[in-house]
């Protein structure tokens, strides 16, 4: 790393931070205007610390590829207009060598993006979403009907209805199978969630089947450990945003084993975190290739092209995610299609500019 490399890195990261700060300031103004009624009725402390303190990093991270691209386009176009890039290349520096500080900067941004999205923002989203559910619009799912899922191998649970407000399920049954034969069946009028994996059933009956014999047990109350919890079947719109990546992967694996189908949003979120991390490198190469040469029209044309490409990338990722939700493709393919396409564009542009 030489002085020139540090110069480009400072320009890149400085412009990136400035762009984020500028966009966030504008976003806060629009958000306050949109949710003013909710902010007026909510406590000021909750608005500042529970909402905005968690909303700002969430928003910044969601649009990190856009900020990365704009930063590269902006400061590289300025370097080109000042003939600084021409001076660098005239010393014998190749485009490949010139790209090195850009990729170092992209690595810093990619690492920060992944750490934020995988470990820091999800716990913060819990407070942000709770605030919006309380004061803006409640999107929690507090009720479920006809709930059926596999709680363990050979064990199927069913509830006619579950009310999360009083943590109670109604008309509960738990059936155990061995070699596809029913060996035990527990039924209860109600089942109440207490603590982690602890449920209390009331007015229950247990029927054990042994060949042609049947043993029946009844009782008023029974504390039992069943490896399910309400969030396994009460899935709200933003639940996938509140889980760290290890917790998200564990949840997806557990739900697949139970035969739960409504986990597309969780799978999309899991792959999106990796895809957005890779996008920092792809968009950096595209931005550097587009703006490293002087063109007629100057910086404005480069910024215009950059905005079109960056917004089209975000739009493309949104569109392909709907394909995964609709079942037209897998979540992994849906999230990586934009990266694959823009990688091809990046290679083409880099080859073109480096051979001029």
């Amino acid at each position: 790393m030489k002085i020139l490399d540090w110069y480009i890195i400072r320009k890149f990261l400085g412009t990136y931070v400035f762009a984020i700060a500028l966009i966030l300031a504008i976003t806060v103004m629009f958000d306050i205007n949109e949710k003013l009624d909710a902010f007026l009725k909510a406590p000021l402390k909750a608005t500042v610390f529970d909402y905005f303190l968690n909303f700002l990093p969430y928003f910044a991270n969601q649009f990190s590829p856009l900020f990365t691209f704009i930063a590269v386009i902006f400061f590289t176009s300025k370097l080109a207009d000042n003939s600084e890039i021409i001076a660098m290349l005239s010393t014998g520096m190749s485009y490949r060598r010139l790209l090195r500080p850009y990729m170092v900067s992209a690595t810093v941004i990619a690492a920060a993006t992944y750490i934020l999205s995988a470990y820091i923002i999800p716990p913060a989203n819990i407070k942000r979403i709770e605030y919006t559910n309380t004061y803006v619009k409640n999107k929690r799912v507090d009720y479920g009907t006809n709930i059926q899922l596999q709680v363990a191998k050979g064990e199927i649970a069913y509830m006619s209805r579950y009310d999360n407000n009083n943590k109670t399920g109604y008309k509960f049954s738990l059936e155990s199978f061995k070699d596809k034969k029913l060996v035990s069946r527990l039924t209860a009028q109600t089942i109440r969630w207490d603590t982690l994996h602890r449920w209390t059933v009331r007015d229950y009956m247990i029927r054990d089947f042994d060949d042609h014999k049947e043993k029946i047990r009844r009782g008023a109350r029974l504390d039992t450990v069943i490896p399910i919890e309400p969030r396994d079947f009460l899935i709200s719109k933003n639940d996938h945003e509140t889980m760290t990546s290890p917790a998200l992967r564990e949840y997806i694996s557990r739900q697949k084993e139970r035969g739960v189908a409504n986990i597309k949003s969780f799978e999309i979120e899991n792959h999106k975190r990796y895809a957005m991390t890779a996008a920092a490198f792809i968009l950096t190469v595209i931005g550097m290739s587009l703006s490293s040469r002087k063109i007629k029209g100057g910086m404005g044309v480069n910024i215009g092209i950059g905005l079109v490409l960056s917004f089209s990338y975000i739009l493309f990722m949104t569109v392909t995610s709907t394909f995964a939700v609709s079942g037209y493709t897998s979540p992994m393919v849906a999230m990586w299609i934009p990266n694959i396409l823009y990688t091809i564009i990046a290679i083409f542009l880099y080859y073109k500019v480096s051979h001029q």
Side-chain angles (χ1 to χ4, degrees):
M1 300 293 291
K2 298 182 179 180
I3 295 176
L4 185 60
D5 297 314
W6 290 113
Y7 174 72
I8 291 175
I9 290 171
R10 284 196 303 270
K11 287 282 188 179
F12 190 159
L13 297 181
T15 307
Y16 173 80
V17 172
F18 176 78
I20 287 180
L22 182 62
I23 296 296
L24 288 182
I26 297 172
T27 303
V28 168
M29 293 175 59
F30 278 102
D31 201 52
I32 290 175
N33 184 62
E34 181 184 356
K35 300 184 177 75
L36 184 59
D37 292 340
F39 295 152
L40 289 175
K41 66 183 179 182
L44 179 61
K45 182 179 178 181
T47 301
V48 174
F49 293 99
D50 292 344
Y51 182 73
F52 277 113
L53 196 63
N54 299 311
F55 168 77
L56 293 177
Y58 166 78
F59 184 86
N61 205 59
Q62 286 291 102
F63 290 91
S64 181
L66 171 63
F67 298 139
T68 303
F69 202 25
I70 291 176
V72 174
I73 290 284
F74 184 81
F75 92 86
T76 306
S77 295
K78 193 173 181 180
L79 292 178
D81 283 349
N82 294 335
S83 299
E84 292 180 72
I85 291 183
I86 294 176
M88 296 176 194
L89 296 176
S90 65
T91 63
M93 177 184 290
S94 66
Y95 258 90
R96 182 177 179 181
R97 177 63 182 82
L98 179 61
L99 188 62
R100 182 189 297 177
Y102 283 84
M103 300 310 287
V104 171
S105 302
T107 301
V108 173
I109 294 173
T113 298
Y114 180 74
I115 292 171
L116 283 169
S117 63
Y119 298 101
I120 297 175
I121 291 178
N125 279 340
I126 296 175
K127 292 182 179 181
R128 178 183 64 84
I129 293 172
E130 181 63 28
Y131 178 94
T132 57
N133 286 339
T134 303
Y135 299 107
V136 183
K137 185 178 181 181
N138 188 4
K139 296 182 180 180
R140 283 190 298 259
V141 175
D142 291 324
Y143 302 93
T145 58
N146 295 323
I147 301 163
Q148 183 174 1
L149 70 162
Q150 180 175 286
V151 300
K153 187 175 180 179
E155 293 188 355
I156 306 296
Y158 171 82
M159 272 181 268
S160 175
R161 182 169 63 92
Y162 184 82
D163 184 346
N164 199 44
N165 291 318
N166 56 23
K167 309 296 182 183
T168 302
Y170 302 90
K171 294 184 178 179
F172 172 78
S173 69
L174 179 64
E175 297 177 339
S176 299
F177 293 86
K178 186 176 181 179
D179 296 330
K180 298 183 180 181
K181 291 184 178 181
L182 182 64
V183 296
S184 177
R185 187 170 191 264
L186 181 153
T187 57
Q189 290 300 312
T190 63
I191 180 170
R192 183 177 175 82
W193 170 255
D194 184 9
T195 57
L196 185 62
H197 294 167
R198 179 174 173 177
W199 296 83
T200 300
V201 296
R202 298 181 182 275
D203 298 326
Y204 70 90
M205 178 176 66
I206 301 175
R207 300 169 65 187
D208 296 317
F209 303 97
D210 185 10
D211 293 332
H212 300 291
K213 298 179 181 180
E214 179 180 347
K215 183 180 179 181
I216 299 177
R217 292 174 286 161
R218 300 177 185 270
R221 170 175 172 158
L222 176 66
D223 292 331
T224 182
V225 176
I226 303 174
I228 58 172
E229 50 188 296
R231 72 171 186 171
D232 290 333
F233 49 83
L234 295 181
I235 301 175
S236 300
K237 182 179 179 181
N238 302 112
D239 282 353
H240 56 275
E241 297 178 351
T242 63
M243 297 183 184
T244 63
S245 286
L248 187 62
R249 289 191 294 268
E250 181 184 352
Y251 180 84
I252 292 171
S253 177
R254 188 170 69 247
Q255 293 297 78
K256 283 183 176 180
E257 290 176 358
R258 291 172 175 168
V260 178
N262 188 24
I263 57 171
K264 292 291 185 183
S265 60
F266 296 87
E267 294 180 288
I268 290 171
E269 177 68 18
N270 183 43
H271 292 292
K272 181 181 178 181
R273 293 176 183 179
Y274 294 102
M276 288 186 66
T277 301
F281 298 99
I282 299 168
L283 296 180
T284 294
V285 174
I286 294 177
M288 183 265 190
S289 301
L290 280 174
S291 55
S292 59
R293 294 282 188 183
K294 280 188 176 182
I295 61 172
K296 188 176 181 180
M299 186 188 303
V301 175
N302 285 334
I303 293 176
I305 295 173
L307 287 173
V308 170
L309 281 173
S310 56
F311 277 114
S312 66
Y313 174 84
I314 294 172
L315 177 63
F316 196 21
M317 181 169 284
T318 303
V319 171
T320 55
S321 67
T322 61
F323 293 161
V325 173
S326 303
Y328 294 117
T329 184
S330 69
M332 183 180 71
V333 172
M335 286 297 96
W336 282 94
I337 283 177
N339 279 355
I340 294 171
L341 176 61
Y342 278 75
T343 296
I344 295 172
I345 295 174
I347 293 172
F348 170 76
L349 291 175
Y350 175 77
Y351 179 83
K352 182 179 178 181
V353 74
S354 61
H355 286 76
Q356 284 181 349

